[in-house]
Amino acid sequence: MKNGNEILAEALKEQGIEYVFGIMGHPVIDLAISMQVAGLQYLGFRNEQAACYAAQAYGYLTRKPAVVLCVSGPGLLHVVGGMANAQVNCWPVIVIGGSCPQDHEGIGGFQEWPQVEASKPYCKYAARPPQAILIPLHVEKAVRLSTYGRPGVAYLDFPATILTQSVDEDKIYKVAPCPPPPLIYPDRQLVQQAANLLMRAKKPLIIVGKGAAYGRAEKEIRSLVYSTGIPFLPTPMGKGVVPDTDERCVSTARTAALQQSDVVLLLGARLNWMLHFGRPPRYQSDVKVIQIDLCPEELHNSIPSAVAIQSDVSTAVECLVTILKSLKWSIHRSSPWWQDLLAKSNKNKAMVHKMSLDTSVPLNYYTVFKHIQDTIPADSIICSEGANTMDIGKTMLLNNEPRHRLDAATFGTMGVGLGFAIAAALYCKNNAPTKRVFCVEGDSAFGFSGMEIETMFRYKLPIIIIIVNNNGIYGGLDTETFRQIQASGEATQVTPPYSLTCETRYEKMIEMFGHKGHFCTTVQDIQRAIKSSLQVKDAPSIINIMINPQASRKEQKFSWLTESKL
């Protein structure tokens, strides 16, 4: 005889699940223990959202879903934010929620809530196995649907009565492990059309999205860029598919590249708000888009594509490279297009470099990021969130390997940083033990899940948390101004909504665990703090960097968010 807890734990193990992230409680206490008995690795978190962020980031890094375990009612409700983030980002994750006993439903059961129905808007698949013997079938389907096609979320609901139900072993449904997702190959005629369009272009541009990073298409895309010389622009999480340091990267001339290109090759990226919907004034009105995407529903979204190819990015680009190489086509660095981009890029680089040389106290963003970049190991994984911290940081903290940047991404979610960093640290532990993880946070963003530092300590994860502290959201106040304002009246009426407490010593949180944090106000402080933190191999570190509360980014030609889709 086996009960539902044992069947579920063993089914997950049989499907290749390695990690479970969550918070246990009624009715999943015995399930968490059964998972460990079955050989799964369980990490208990302090907040369900952070657990879900960690699980989905692990799925992004490995292409294998991890599990989020939560209790009924409020527990699942806390996870929903993470589910939505994973679904929008197209990352695989499986959520397992306990729920009230079936015989208590409809009469006010403990934490009773319509969990399957509530999860469906944020999932590819949501179901409740009707009997314990059918659990393996639903687990396999959850793994398959979370990873096949466009990745996403699967939710499985388990009432206490199913988890405790005992059944004969020979009656349990047998199911084979789900094989890896099949590769989708492109229509060669469409690829030929794409090649023809590129060769006729005067100002071609490649945009590399996080879908290309997830799809492990770096080998093929690097071959395309290196053989053709087409300038490329990575999205924030497409960074590293081709190295940021490559001379063909035009991130420092982003506005000019988008606005002037006549043909855009879109690789695993969506024409959503992050790419300004593909519309004027950020693009030419007659720009031609070649779109390669795994999901057919994404094709022609926002604007019609000149060539729309449903395919894995890797297989389509490999085919495109073969055609272009056979024709010996490339764009020369002396072309007017390249010269225009280089001129704009050099101008912007000079402006940023000048700002980064200002070491006066309080520091500005550019100086802080320059010296972080100069001090951290080149192959570090960088998790980042915050407003200016994330936005400016992505331009100055470079990635030369794919999947080495995790941030708020498509959904713009704050609070993801520490969960993402935990997932990245586990990935490094299993695949690259010498690689380090840096979690670069704005002070506001850190507050969403700061207590997950205890989770990092418990599981001995050497994550280096860097807080870029400007005393507020977007911008804050200096200490004297903050005190004067608060003294002028009732705090709830006079304190600006964007303001946080000035010079909060976040680094002292690390003292709860017997370690010493780092408080930095100068460049030398930052350098010493990073070098010291790199020596810590079995615990997190916190570096709290005070900057000018009014520090901002260089002037932008356009607002960060395109104002209208019309």
Side-chain angles (χ1 to χ4, degrees), residues 332-394:
H332 200 271
R333 294 277 286 183
S334 63
S335 70
W337 175 225
W338 258 120
Q339 293 306 304
D340 288 347
L341 290 176
L342 287 173
K344 185 63 175 178
S345 180
N346 290 334
K347 180 181 177 181
N348 287 337
K349 284 180 180 179
M351 187 184 305
V352 168
H353 181 66
K354 182 179 179 180
M355 296 172 74
S356 70
L357 293 178
D358 179 6
T359 58
S360 59
V361 175
L363 299 171
N364 67 61
Y365 283 105
Y366 296 90
T367 302
V368 167
F369 286 124
K370 178 189 185 308
H371 291 281
I372 292 174
Q373 173 64 31
D374 289 348
T375 310
I376 67 175
D379 65 344
S380 301
I381 294 181
I382 298 169
C383 306
S384 186
E385 61 176 331
N388 289 330
T389 295
M390 181 179 68
D391 205 23
I392 300 172
K394 74 173 182 282

Side-chain angles (χ1 to χ4, degrees), residues 83-308:
M83 293 166 69
N85 190 69
Q87 189 70 2
V88 171
N89 279 340
C90 311
W91 291 354
V93 68
I94 296 172
V95 178
I96 290 176
S99 57
C100 80
Q102 290 166 297
D103 55 332
H104 291 180
E105 290 180 342
I107 56 173
F110 175 67
Q111 296 183 334
E112 181 183 357
W113 195 43
Q115 297 181 183
V116 174
E117 294 80 1
S119 299
K120 282 183 177 179
Y122 315 103
C123 291
K124 292 179 68 179
Y125 177 62
R128 170 191 285 183
Q131 302 176 59
I133 60 172
L134 295 176
I135 288 174
L137 181 149
H138 288 274
V139 169
E140 186 277 337
K141 188 170 183 180
V143 171
R144 178 160 40 88
L145 269 62
S146 71
T147 55
Y148 278 40
R150 174 176 279 180
V153 185
Y155 172 69
L156 294 178
D157 191 68
F158 289 95
T161 40
I162 295 293
L163 293 175
T164 58
Q165 183 182 34
S166 293
V167 297
D168 292 334
E169 287 192 49
D170 59 359
K171 293 183 179 179
I172 299 172
Y173 191 91
K174 302 296 189 294
V175 60
C178 176
L183 280 174
I184 297 177
Y185 286 82
D187 181 330
R188 187 175 175 85
Q189 288 185 334
L190 292 176
V191 179
Q192 183 65 61
Q193 291 177 27
N196 294 341
L197 190 55
L198 281 172
M199 290 188 291
R200 292 195 302 269
K202 294 181 179 179
K203 298 180 178 182
L205 176 69
I206 297 171
I207 297 179
V208 182
K210 72 173 180 288
Y214 179 85
R216 304 300 194 270
E218 53 267 22
K219 177 182 176 183
E220 294 80 7
I221 295 176
R222 290 181 183 191
S223 177
L224 174 65
V225 171
Y226 298 159
S227 63
T228 64
I230 301 174
F232 75 92
L233 180 68
T235 64
M237 287 185 57
K239 284 160 57 70
V241 171
V242 185
D244 283 347
T245 52
D246 189 274
E247 61 183 1
R248 285 150 288 215
C249 180
V250 292
S251 290
T252 49
R254 184 181 192 271
T255 296
L258 293 177
Q259 198 171 34
Q260 297 176 30
S261 58
D262 58 357
V263 174
V264 171
L265 175 59
L266 198 65
L267 303 177
R270 292 173 279 181
L271 289 178
N272 54 21
W273 69 272
M274 295 185 75
L275 288 174
H276 319 290
F277 313 107
R279 300 181 179 185
R282 304 304 295 268
Y283 296 80
Q284 296 289 323
S285 59
D286 57 352
V287 66
K288 294 178 174 58
V289 174
I290 301 166
Q291 190 177 11
I292 299 176
D293 201 285
L294 187 68
C295 177
E297 289 84 357
E298 190 61 40
L299 302 177
H300 306 292
N301 192 40
S302 184
I303 63 170
S305 294
V307 182

Side-chain angles (χ1 to χ4, degrees), residues 36-72:
Q36 288 183 314
V37 170
L40 300 171
Q41 298 188 60
Y42 178 85
L43 285 84
F45 278 66
R46 305 304 299 267
N47 178 279
E48 289 97 346
Q49 275 195 29
C52 193
Y53 296 143
Q56 64 194 254
Y58 196 79
Y60 169 71
L61 292 169
T62 65
R63 298 191 76 185
K64 296 192 299 184
V67 164
V68 183
L69 179 65
C70 63
V71 302
S72 51

